């Protein structure tokens, strides 16, 4: 269950939007350390009693708090680049999406996929009405239009994902595919929809895009049909609950969502109708169906959707917000990603085994954050260091368990009356919240996970992910969930020589800190150029490193295998 309240302070006063959901082998004789975080890391002198100059190849247990052992020769597990996505809602408006600071900070974050036009708005967003500024069909004529999203994707050079208005028609959706993906000379007919509207030819909508300055397509390949349809309000239709939040719509039944109901002008079109019409325009697009984390929930929604569309859907959509109200302590979310993601993925796979013959489709977590209802984030945890640590571990656990796509909710949002805010950035000031810094770390990690053995408790102390960025670069992304530095003996098995190493660190003074330091700098430049990674010395295939308190660190280690 999830609600979104949106206030764009410094951008627009939108008080009417409250309640909307957005929906080596020798031990290093120095300890490269970023502590204290205010200072540039420097090696400890050889006389340091913790690591004497005649250190043995196997250090005393007193030298370190635990061990990390990485197998550099393993083939590893691929990470889908689409895992590092976010959401951009239409209420950021045209000037917000074009803001140079937002553009530069989005590029620097390195996000890969941008989902649009935004949560529950998607189920009411009449794309053509909004593009034409038609007040009769567009509730929010001041909001971003499809052309503004196209411009954003072009400026940041990222992939788009669009959530189709499930209350529209399949021909309307097909025309939007044409707007983004087709050429103006395409004469294929889209046809007349069940409401009697003629959607003309594919090229007609491509020509509209061309007239707006983009003669060539800026294609969107990822599409999903509706947002959280299972969460319709009680009066919406079959299977809905008293605690639903989605306005409008016509069903909360998974089978009806897929197959539709009725005939002719009275027909309510389902997922398959939309997918067929859209892929008739562009057969290369991928169309995802709305799912849930646990398939028995929401009136058996997930099982019904998979049973009806398991052979047809191109990916399966999950939204995950672990908390509706604040948990008992600010420490509790530290363990949550380790406890959740294996179960979610296993439940989805079990349903596909049962109802779709064991078929596997990509799992797309197109919305996730700490709280489902930002008004209930009364302590502003989503804008504090706790969310940085939680988000970093969430992405790691999604990667480990094979989630293909992830879209953090959201890039920029705006505060509620209680000052809750989902955004990586504040929509008004474009201030970077702690969770922002997770993305430039993970997006520089590489595309391969490697096996690693850790003696640390990943739920409460160090959560560790090892990777290969390229054949000569290993990576370690380490989340320190403790308020004390954690010294780890790092063993790189299968490495003949370390030729260099560097580290980026986002660190906070406390879990409730609203500001973090990136490589020791509290407010770095938009492109982070004034806070470069720290070059480490004394690093070999076995070395000790001290991870800063409440930090996310990315070590990049250059090797000769």
């Amino acid at each position: 269950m999830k609600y979104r309240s949106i206030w764009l302070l410094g951008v627009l006063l939108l008080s009417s939007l409250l309640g909307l959901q957005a929906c080596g082998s020798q031990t290093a004789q120095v300890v490269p350390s970023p502590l204290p975080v205010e200072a540039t890391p420097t090696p400890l002198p050889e006389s340091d009693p913790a690591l004497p100059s005649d250190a043995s190849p196997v250090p005393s247990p007193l030298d370190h708090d635990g061990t990390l052992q990485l197998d550099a020769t393993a083939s590893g597990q691929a990470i889908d680049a689409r895992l590092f996505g976010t959401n951009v809602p239409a209420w950021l408006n045209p000037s917000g999406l074009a803001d140079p600071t937002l553009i530069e900070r989005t590029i620097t974050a390195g996000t890969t996929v941008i989902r649009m036009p935004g949560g529950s708005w998607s189920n009411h967003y009449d794309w053509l009405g909004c593009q034409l500024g038609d007040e009769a069909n567009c509730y929010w004529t001041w909001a971003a239009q499809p052309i503004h999203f196209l411009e954003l994707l072009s400026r940041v050079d990222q992939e788009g994902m669009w959530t189709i208005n499930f209350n529209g028609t399949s021909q309307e959706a097909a025309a939007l595919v044409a707007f983004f993906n087709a050429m103006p000379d395409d004469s294929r007919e889209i046809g007349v929809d069940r409401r009697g509207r003629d959607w003309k030819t594919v090229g007609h909508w491509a020509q509209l895009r061309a007239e707006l300055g983009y003669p060539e397509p800026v294609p969107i390949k990822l599409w999903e049909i509706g947002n959280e349809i299972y969460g319709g309000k009680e009066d919406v239709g079959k299977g809905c609950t008293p605690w639903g939040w989605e306005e409008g719509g016509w069903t909360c039944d998974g089978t009806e969502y897929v197959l539709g109901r009725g005939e002719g002008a009275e027909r309510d079109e389902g997922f398959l109708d939309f997918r067929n019409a859209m892929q008739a325009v562009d057969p290369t697009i991928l169309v995802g169906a709305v799912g849930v984390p646990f398939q028995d929930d929401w009136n058996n929604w997930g099982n019904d959707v998979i049973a009806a569309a398991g052979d047809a859907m191109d990916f399966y959509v999950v939204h995950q917000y672990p908390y509706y109200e604040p948990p008992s302590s600010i420490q509790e979310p530290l363990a949550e990603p380790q406890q959740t993601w294996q179960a979610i993925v296993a439940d989805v796979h079990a349903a596909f085994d049962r109802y779709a013959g064991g078929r596997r489709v990509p799992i797309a977590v197109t919305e996730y954050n700490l709280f489902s209802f930002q008004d209930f984030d009364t302590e502003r945890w989503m804008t504090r260091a706790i969310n940085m640590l939680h988000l970093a571990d969430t992405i790691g656990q999604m990667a480990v368990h094979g989630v293909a796509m992830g879209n953090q909710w959201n890039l920029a949002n705006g505060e509620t009356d209680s000052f809750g805010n989902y955004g990586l950035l504040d929509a008004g000031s474009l201030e970077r919240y702690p969770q922002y810094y997770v993305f430039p770390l993970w997006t520089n990690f590489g595309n391969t996970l490697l096996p690693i053995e850790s003696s640390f408790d990943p739920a409460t102390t160090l959560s560790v992910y090892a990777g290969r960025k390229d054949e000569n670069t290993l990576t370690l992304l380490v989340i320190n969930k403790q308020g004390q530095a954690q010294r780890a003996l790092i063993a790189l098995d299968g490495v003949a020589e370390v030729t260099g190493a560097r580290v980026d660190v986002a660190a906070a003074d406390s879990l409730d800190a609203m500001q973090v330091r990136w490589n020791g700098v509290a407010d770095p430049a938009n492109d982070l150029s004034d806070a470069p990674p720290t070059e480490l010395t004394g690093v070999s295939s076995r070395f000790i490193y001290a991870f800063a308190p409440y930090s996310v660190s990315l070590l990049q280690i250059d090797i000769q295998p």
Side-chain angles (χ1 to χ4, degrees), residues 172-201:
E172 176 186 350
L176 182 57
V177 175
F179 177 85
F180 285 112
N181 294 16
M183 293 297 293
D185 61 354
D186 192 327
S187 61
R188 290 176 295 160
E189 296 283 341
I190 292 177
V192 178
D193 68 20
R194 68 183 190 274
R195 297 169 181 167
R197 183 168 188 171
D198 184 356
W199 286 91
K200 305 181 186 301
T201 67

Side-chain angles (χ1 to χ4, degrees), residues 94-401:
S95 61
L97 293 187
D99 188 286
T101 298
L102 182 136
I103 299 298
E104 189 169 9
R105 290 185 171 181
T106 302
I107 293 170
T108 299
T111 49
T112 53
V113 179
I114 295 176
R115 175 179 178 256
M116 309 165 295
S120 296
W121 274 38
S122 304
N123 290 335
H124 301 277
Y125 188 93
D126 183 310
W127 78 265
L128 183 57
C130 291
Q131 182 60 60
L132 299 178
D134 178 2
E135 294 183 357
N137 293 301
C138 180
Y139 296 162
W140 316 284
T141 55
W142 51 266
Q145 303 166 356
I147 194 65
H148 302 128
F149 290 117
L150 185 155
E151 290 168 349
L152 175 66
L153 295 176
S154 298
R155 287 168 177 154
V156 301
D157 192 24
Q158 295 183 18
E159 187 172 1
M161 174 188 289
W162 192 279
T163 306
I164 287 294
N165 176 4
F166 189 61
N167 296 306
T169 69
S170 61
Q171 289 81 9
E172 176 186 350
L176 182 57
V177 175
F179 177 85
F180 285 112
N181 294 16
M183 293 297 293
D185 61 354
D186 192 327
S187 61
R188 290 176 295 160
E189 296 283 341
I190 292 177
V192 178
D193 68 20
R194 68 183 190 274
R195 297 169 181 167
R197 183 168 188 171
D198 184 356
W199 286 91
K200 305 181 186 301
T201 67
V202 171
H204 179 87
W205 307 110
Q207 180 61 35
L208 174 60
R209 181 199 67 234
E211 292 169 358
L212 293 168
Y214 288 86
E216 297 297 320
V218 181
I220 290 180
K221 295 298 184 181
L222 302 173
W223 301 78
E224 57 180 342
I225 308 305
N227 179 81
E228 297 178 0
I229 305 303
Y230 53 85
K233 291 190 173 182
E234 190 171 22
D235 60 353
V236 163
K238 181 179 177 182
C240 297
T241 67
W243 53 88
W245 59 93
E246 290 285 341
E247 302 279 358
W250 54 271
T251 189
C252 296
D253 179 87
T255 302
E256 287 190 344
Y257 162 75
V258 173
L259 302 179
R261 69 181 182 193
E263 300 294 337
E266 302 303 316
R267 177 164 175 77
D268 294 309
E269 292 180 292
F271 168 82
L272 294 177
D273 296 309
F274 281 89
R275 181 176 181 268
N276 290 338
M278 295 164 65
Q279 290 189 336
V281 172
D282 184 351
T284 71
I285 66 171
L286 303 177
V287 184
V290 172
V292 289
F294 296 100
Q295 310 319 301
D296 294 346
D297 292 348
W298 298 103
N299 194 35
N300 205 47
W301 174 273
N303 293 320
D304 290 343
V305 168
I306 292 168
D311 292 338
M313 73 175 79
D314 301 304
F315 57 92
Y316 186 70
V317 175
V318 169
H319 290 177
Q320 170 62 8
Y321 296 85
Y323 300 108
Y324 177 67
E325 295 180 317
S328 58
S329 72
I330 197 172
Q331 289 81 18
E332 186 175 325
L334 294 172
E336 188 275 331
Q338 298 284 331
Q339 299 166 344
T340 298
W341 286 98
Q342 183 177 14
I344 289 176
V345 173
D347 192 80
V348 172
H349 286 170
F352 273 86
D353 288 342
R354 187 178 304 115
Y355 299 111
R359 183 178 185 234
R360 292 289 181 265
V361 300
I363 298 173
V365 183
T366 62
E367 289 186 22
Y368 67 94
N369 209 317
L370 195 57
F371 285 87
S372 59
F373 182 20
Q374 72 172 13
D375 274 350
F376 283 6
D377 182 15
T378 54
E379 301 300 319
R380 303 185 67 181
W381 286 1
M382 286 192 292
T383 62
R384 299 183 187 274
I386 179 61
N387 204 24
M388 175 181 74
L389 304 182
H390 182 270
L391 178 65
D393 211 18
T394 295
I395 292 175
Q397 287 299 293
M398 289 195 293
V400 165
H401 295 293

